[in-house]
């Protein structure tokens, strides 16, 4: 800047200050600031109890109001809080911090009202998750255990009137039930699962002189309790010794739209009673209204009969079951099994209408056991329509002759049927190979097929189809076999098996085989085999492993040596063999072969397996 410019530039006004004194301020300005400070102070409530801990927005706005009033204060009070305002600010920060902090406070959920915590526990279905939730703190424990943990799964009888009355009165507890099992009246009391806060008996409700009136009372209380279980997921009915039928309970279950699984074991379901759910209202109710009664979340339905004679029919039918299935459009798993009752006729239910007219677009698993079919094309039509099937169990009689079009059952992974049906499905043409991994129920050298062909010819057709189209099969469970040659031919046609169960030869299993070396030679044709069942190789001893030979008798020590020899032969011929049958049938135990890589020794141990 030039000197001329500086000379012509006007001087800026200067303020003179006196040492130790504040600058002069007009009286009107001072009066306005005092009035503004008074208004700000009056607008903020200093009382700490006036602010709700669950309302962070109000606390944040009050905190902004206090901080915004600081620049307008006079002199030394500027940007300074009074002791009351400082205490209030810390209180407001404690309210806001749990909601805006980087990490949520661990005390936030415990500060919620009890009703909110109960609603949170309501959405936890699994009991193991409920237990973890209850162990988080004492308050969660006090909410989960008395109201949720003991109510998720209830197992009792129809005659348990105290349970039904308790759930009718306390509807907030009834909505916590997820799984309900109705046991038979002959079941023992040790099988019951009842909440501990329910009385075992109530004299006023249980006492009655009229037996028929007692059953009506039980049905009324059961239906009343079911109406309160609005979040029921699984319903199991095994009451086959009472006049109360599932037909009387099914209309109430239709109101529970949260159902996902239904398992019924009742002979009355197979009786000729028609569709009891719609028989009374079919003529008076419009068809549009009837279509709205559906269970959208129901994915699995299992209907089975029992061996008891009560409720069995001479001419069993599927009309009631078909009426129930009309309410399940999103069904994925269907299991219908009929077992002939004692002293009953040999008639089996006919599945013609079910196969011809029932359609389930999302069906992936189908099991039809001990049914018959008079229309030859009905099974093929049903299987062709349901292309998403992955698991199929078909037992429609030995005379069934199945004919499938090309590319049928493209996603099939597990098949349980007889030899002729398995041959038809394996040899059915397909553009892409089926992912078939498991094959069950085939009997080698069984009765002749429907075309009057010999057993050996039918076995040859099955084994040829298995060799050509069953390259992905890894597990086979036979229903039976006749000669050692049958197993040898099976090993040649399916060398990639990992699991093989040959079933029983004849009526029952005999003593341990004496030709273990021959069996090992046959099984060596399947190098990937790890599990083999159906033949007993080991002798019964008191020891549980090859290393525990102390305190054994001379006979047991001899058997242990034989077992050691058998284990060595099996491990030598079958490199990956690990599990074979235990010497006790049905004991839930297996013999496991253990290999020591360094010493090249083979040991055997007895272990339990899950059922």
């Amino acid at each position: 800047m030039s000197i001329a410019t500086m000379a012509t530039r006007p001087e800026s006004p200067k303020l003179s200050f006196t040492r130790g004194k504040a600058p002069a301020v007009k009286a009107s300005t001072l009066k306005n600031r005092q009035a503004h400070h008074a208004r700000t102070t009056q607008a903020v409530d200093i009382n700490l109890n006036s602010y709700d801990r669950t309302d962070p927005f109000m606390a944040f706005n009050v905190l902004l109001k206090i901080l915004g009033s600081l620049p307008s204060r006079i002199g030394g009070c500027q940007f300074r809080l009074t002791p009351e305002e400082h205490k209030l600010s810390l209180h407001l920060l404690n309210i806001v911090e749990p909601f805006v902090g980087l990490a949520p406070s661990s005390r936030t959920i415990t500060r919620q009202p009890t009703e909110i915590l109960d609603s949170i526990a309501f959405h936890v279905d699994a009991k193991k998750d409920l237990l973890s939730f209850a162990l988080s703190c004492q308050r969660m424990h006090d909410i989960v255990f008395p109201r949720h943990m003991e109510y998720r799964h209830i197992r009792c009888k129809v005659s348990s009137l105290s349970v039904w009355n308790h759930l009718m009165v306390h509807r907030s507890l009834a909505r916590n039930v997820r799984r309900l099992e109705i046991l038979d009246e002959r079941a023992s009391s040790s099988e019951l699962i009842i909440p501990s806060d329910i009385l075992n008996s109530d004299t006023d409700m249980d006492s009655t002189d009229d037996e028929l009136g007692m059953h009506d009372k039980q049905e009324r209380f059961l239906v009343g309790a079911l109406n309160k279980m609005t979040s029921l997921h699984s319903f199991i009915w095994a009451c086959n010794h009472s006049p109360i039928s599932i037909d009387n309970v099914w209309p109430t279950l239709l109101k529970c739209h949260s159902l996902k699984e239904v398992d019924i074991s009742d002979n009355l379901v197979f009786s000729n009673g028609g569709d009891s759910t719609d028989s009374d209202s079919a003529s008076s109710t419009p068809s549009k209204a009837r279509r709205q009664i559906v269970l959208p979340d129901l994915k699995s339905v299992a209907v089975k009969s029992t061996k008891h004679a009560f409720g069995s029919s001479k001419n069993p039918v599927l009309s009631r079951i078909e009426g129930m299935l009309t309410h399940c459009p999103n069904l994925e798993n269907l299991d219908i099994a009929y077992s002939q009752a004692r002293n009953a006729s040999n008639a089996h239910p006919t599945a013609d209408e079910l196969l011809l007219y029932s359609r389930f677009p999302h069906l992936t698993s189908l099991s039809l056991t001990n049914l018959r079919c008079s229309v030859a094309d009905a099974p093929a039509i049903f299987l062709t329509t349901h292309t998403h099937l992955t698991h199929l169990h078909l037992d429609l009689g030995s005379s069934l002759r199945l004919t499938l079009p090309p590319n049928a059952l493209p996603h099939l992974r597990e098949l349980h049927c007889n030899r002729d049906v398995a041959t038809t499905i394996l040899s059915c043409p397909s553009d892409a190979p089926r992912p078939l991994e498991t094959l069950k129920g085939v009997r080698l050298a069984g009765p002749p097929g429907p075309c009057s062909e010999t057993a050996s010819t039918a076995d040859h057709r099955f084994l040829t189809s298995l060799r050509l189209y069953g390259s992905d099969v890894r597990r086979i469970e036979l229903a039976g076999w006749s000669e050692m040659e049958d197993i040898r031919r099976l090993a040649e046609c399916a060398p990639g098996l990992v699991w093989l169960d040959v079933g029983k030869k004849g009526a029952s299993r005999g003593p341990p085989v004496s030709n273990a070396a021959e069996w090992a030679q046959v099984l060596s044709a399947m190098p990937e085999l790890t599990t083999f069942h159906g033949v007993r190789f080991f002798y019964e001893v008191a020891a549980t492993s090859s290393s525990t030979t102390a305190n054994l008798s001379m006979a047991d020590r001899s058997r242990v040596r034989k077992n050691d020899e058998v284990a060595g032969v099996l491990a030598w011929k079958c490199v990956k063999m690990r599990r074979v049958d235990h010497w006790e049938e049905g004991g839930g135990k297996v013999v496991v072969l253990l290999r020591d890589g360094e010493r090249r020794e083979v040991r055997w141990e007895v272990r339990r397996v899950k059922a």
Side-chain angles (χ1 to χ4, degrees):
M1 185 180 293
S2 61
I3 298 177
T5 305
M6 295 177 60
T8 58
R9 187 175 183 180
E11 294 183 358
S12 58
K14 297 180 180 180
L15 297 178
S16 59
F17 297 94
T18 304
R19 185 179 184 85
K21 295 182 181 181
V25 182
K26 293 183 179 180
S28 59
T29 304
L30 180 60
K31 187 175 182 180
N32 293 337
R33 291 184 177 180
Q34 290 177 351
H36 179 72
H37 176 65
R39 288 194 302 269
T40 305
T41 306
Q42 293 176 359
V44 177
D45 189 1
I46 306 299
N47 187 10
L48 303 182
N49 297 326
S50 301
Y51 302 97
D52 187 6
R53 288 183 175 273
T54 61
D55 189 0
F57 299 100
M58 180 180 179
F60 188 73
N61 292 330
V62 174
L63 190 60
L64 285 179
K65 188 180 294 185
I66 294 176
L67 298 178
S69 64
L70 295 180
S72 61
R73 299 186 179 181
I74 305 171
C77 296
Q78 195 174 22
F79 299 108
R80 291 185 180 180
L81 296 173
T82 62
E84 292 78 7
E85 291 176 342
H86 184 267
K87 187 176 181 180
L88 177 61
S89 300
L90 295 179
H91 179 72
L92 297 177
L93 285 175
N94 288 333
I95 296 176
V96 177
E97 182 181 4
F99 295 91
V100 300
L102 296 178
S105 176
S106 59
R107 299 174 298 171
T108 303
I109 192 172
T110 59
R111 295 176 179 176
Q112 302 301 322
T114 304
E115 293 80 2
I116 296 179
L117 297 179
D118 184 74
S119 299
I120 294 174
F122 169 77
H123 290 85
V124 181
D125 296 332
K127 296 188 69 173
K128 61 179 182 179
D129 297 334
L130 270 178
L131 180 61
S132 302
F133 190 53
L135 294 177
S136 61
C137 64
Q138 182 63 36
R139 191 176 183 197
M140 297 303 172
H141 181 276
D142 297 339
I143 293 175
V144 169
F145 269 89
R147 295 182 55 84
H148 296 274
M149 181 62 71
E150 293 186 342
Y151 286 88
R152 284 295 185 267
H153 183 193
I154 293 181
R155 180 192 297 161
C156 58
K157 306 176 183 179
V158 175
S159 59
S160 304
L161 294 181
S162 57
V163 178
W164 312 133
N165 181 69
H166 178 82
L167 297 175
M168 289 173 60
V169 175
H170 304 87
R171 61 179 61 192
S172 62
L173 298 178
R175 64 191 292 265
N176 293 333
V177 179
R178 297 293 186 272
R179 183 180 179 88
L180 177 63
E181 296 188 37
I182 309 297
L183 298 181
D184 194 83
E185 293 297 325
R186 294 162 292 190
S188 62
S189 58
S190 60
E191 302 179 18
L192 304 182
I193 301 178
I194 300 176
S196 57
D197 56 345
I198 299 179
L199 297 178
N200 293 330
S201 63
D202 193 329
T203 306
D204 296 336
M205 290 187 302
D206 293 345
S207 60
T208 180
D209 297 332
D210 187 6
E211 185 176 356
L212 296 179
M214 177 184 65
H215 292 300
D216 294 339
K217 189 175 185 179
Q218 293 173 359
E219 179 183 344
R220 185 172 65 255
F221 273 77
L222 172 60
V223 171
L226 281 175
N227 285 323
K228 304 299 185 297
M229 301 180 192
T230 56
S231 301
L232 190 65
H233 290 172
S234 179
F235 179 78
I236 292 91
W237 175 272
C239 181
N240 193 51
H241 195 64
S242 174
I244 303 175
S245 173
I246 187 63
D247 288 341
N248 303 332
V249 182
W250 183 257
T252 306
L253 291 177
L254 290 177
K255 302 177 183 179
C256 185
H257 290 180
S258 61
L259 267 180
K260 298 180 180 179
E261 176 188 3
V262 172
D263 192 340
I264 302 172
S265 298
D266 194 349
N267 289 337
L268 294 175
V269 181
F270 292 88
S271 61
N272 190 6
D275 185 7
S276 62
T277 59
D278 294 335
S279 59
D280 297 335
S281 59
S283 59
S284 59
T285 306
S287 59
K288 182 177 180 181
R290 292 201 307 270
R291 286 196 299 268
Q292 295 176 355
I293 305 177
V294 297
L295 299 174
D297 295 335
L298 187 57
K299 307 296 183 182
S300 178
V301 173
V303 183
K304 304 174 183 178
S305 63
T306 64
K307 288 290 186 180
H308 303 291
F310 181 85
S312 60
S313 176
K314 294 183 179 180
N315 298 312
V317 293
L318 299 181
S319 57
R320 290 186 174 183
I321 300 176
E322 294 168 2
M324 294 178 182
L325 295 179
T326 57
H327 306 283
C328 314
N330 299 324
L331 199 62
E332 295 181 359
N333 303 317
L334 177 60
D335 184 3
I336 301 177
Y338 177 78
S339 57
Q340 185 178 348
R342 304 185 185 97
N343 300 326
S345 62
N346 296 328
H348 288 185
T350 304
D352 293 338
E353 294 187 2
L354 175 66
L355 297 176
L356 289 175
Y357 305 114
S358 298
R359 295 295 179 266
F360 308 102
H362 306 287
L363 190 66
T364 58
S365 178
L366 175 66
S367 178
L368 302 178
T369 308
N370 285 337
L371 305 181
R372 63 185 179 90
C373 187
S374 58
V375 180
D377 296 336
I381 294 175
F382 189 89
L383 297 179
T384 305
T385 306
H386 297 80
T387 58
H388 297 288
L389 283 174
T390 59
H391 296 72
L392 177 61
H393 181 188
L394 209 59
D395 183 7
L396 299 178
S398 58
S399 61
L400 174 64
R401 186 173 183 179
L402 189 64
T403 303
L404 295 176
N407 297 319
L409 302 173
H411 303 289
L412 190 63
R413 300 185 61 182
E414 180 177 327
L415 178 61
H416 189 172
C417 60
N418 57 33
R419 177 191 54 199
D420 302 315
V421 174
T423 303
T424 302
I425 294 177
L426 285 172
S427 59
C428 179
S430 178
D431 296 338
R434 296 181 183 86
L436 186 61
E437 298 177 352
T438 304
L439 189 60
K440 302 179 181 180
V442 176
R443 180 181 296 274
L444 296 179
C451 298
S452 300
E453 56 185 355
T454 61
S456 58
T457 305
D459 287 348
H460 177 71
R461 293 179 62 250
F462 166 72
L463 295 174
T464 302
S465 301
L466 180 63
R467 183 178 66 254
L468 296 178
Y469 310 106
S471 58
D472 294 333
V473 176
R474 294 294 178 265
R475 176 170 178 168
I476 292 182
E477 298 181 14
L478 298 177
W481 55 284
S482 178
E483 302 294 338
M484 178 73 75
E485 186 64 25
D486 299 333
I487 309 300
R488 184 176 287 106
R489 288 184 299 169
L490 178 65
E492 294 175 357
C493 297
L497 287 182
V498 176
W499 181 300
L500 177 60
D501 188 347
V502 296
K504 298 181 179 180
K505 180 182 179 180
S508 61
R509 299 183 186 178
V513 295
S514 57
N515 56 344
E518 183 180 359
W519 273 104
Q521 183 65 30
V522 173
L523 298 179
S524 63
M526 297 174 284
E528 301 295 328
L529 191 65
T530 61
T531 304
F532 178 71
H533 292 301
V535 177
R536 288 193 294 175
F537 295 106
F538 290 82
Y539 292 87
E540 181 177 357
V541 292
T544 58
S545 65
S546 57
S547 58
T548 57
T549 58
N551 301 326
L552 293 180
S553 63
M554 295 300 295
D556 283 343
R557 292 185 180 182
S558 176
R559 293 190 184 100
V560 168
R561 287 194 295 269
K562 292 180 181 179
N563 290 343
D564 293 339
E565 294 176 2
V566 171
V569 171
L570 291 177
W572 174 43
K573 291 292 185 179
C574 306
V575 181
K576 295 186 178 181
M577 178 74 74
R578 177 170 174 80
R579 196 171 86 171
V580 294
D581 282 345
H582 186 256
W583 49 79
E584 295 179 2
E585 184 178 359
K589 301 176 182 178
V590 295
V591 176
V592 178
L593 304 180
L594 303 177
R595 295 170 173 82
D596 193 344
E598 297 179 357
R599 299 181 180 179
R600 296 182 179 180
E601 295 180 355
V602 179
R603 297 182 295 106
W604 57 270
E605 288 186 2
V606 177
R607 296 184 181 180
R608 291 188 176 273
V609 294
K610 295 182 179 179

